[in-house]
């Protein structure tokens, strides 16, 4: 019964994301968020975080926590001894990489793992009760934040990379051409794009 409730809840989240339901957005330091979520994990495979400071994105905190938690739990499930997480700022994006040292994902399955209800054999063996919706929801959340979630080549294990646009581009100084008065970003703001 509990598993059925989890699946129904996940399907409702997926439906809301795909319908473009509005969500409250705020500036978030993703390095701090990732560090906090990793520190909250107890027992199991250790997670090591190397995060740049003050890497900010505009996003929904609850949704971003869900993506990060999904990636961390997934990596720990498949890791042999460790999970390595980095948060970097690169070319206008926050780049969050979650890497485990497990068996990895075959190239032909790297896109398939993001489809709803897809569970590879190793995942079913390690967690028989999973729904196969976590990565699909995570990718939809990334898209809702104008970002991407992909798997990338790795010399060992699986490597998931979440890219989100940063908010740290410096605005023009007040009084210069192109400058605008500072104002808070609100849900109806045209700068907040919904997927």
């Amino acid at each position: 019964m509990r598993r059925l409730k989890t699946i129904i809840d996940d399907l409702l989240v997926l439906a809301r994301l795909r319908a473009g339901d509005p969500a409250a957005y705020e500036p978030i330091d993703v390095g701090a968020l990732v560090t906090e979520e990793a520190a909250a994990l107890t027992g199991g495979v250790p997670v090591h975080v190397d995060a740049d400071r003050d890497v900010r994105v505009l996003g929904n905190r609850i949704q971003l926590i869900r993506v990060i938690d999904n990636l961390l739990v997934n990596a720990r499930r498949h890791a042999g001894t460790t999970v390595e997480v980095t948060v970097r700022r690169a070319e206008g994006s926050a780049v969050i990489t979650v890497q485990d040292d497990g068996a990895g994902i075959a190239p032909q399955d790297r896109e398939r793992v993001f489809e709803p209800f897809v569970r590879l054999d190793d995942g079913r063996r390690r967690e028989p009760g999973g729904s196969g919706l976590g990565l699909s929801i995570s990718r939809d959340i990334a898209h809702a934040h104008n970002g991407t979630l992909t798997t990338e080549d790795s010399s060992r294990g699986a490597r998931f990379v979440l890219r989100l646009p940063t908010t740290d581009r410096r605005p023009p100084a007040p009084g210069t051409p192109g400058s605008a008065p500072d104002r808070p970003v609100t849900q109806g703001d045209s700068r907040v794009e919904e997927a």
Side-chain angles (χ1 to χ4, degrees), residues 19 21 23 26 33 54 56 65 78 81 84 96 103 109 157 161 179:
D21 279 3
E26 62 183 294
L33 189 66
D54 205 33
R56 296 190 177 274
I65 286 173
H78 295 280
T81 60
E84 301 288 338
I96 300 104
D109 291 326
V161 182
S179 68

Side-chain angles (χ1 to χ4, degrees), residues 158-181:
R159 177 184 175 93
F160 285 85
V161 182
L162 172 65
R163 288 182 173 83
L164 301 168
T166 58
T167 60
D168 59 4
R169 294 182 191 92
R170 299 195 191 287
T176 61
S179 68

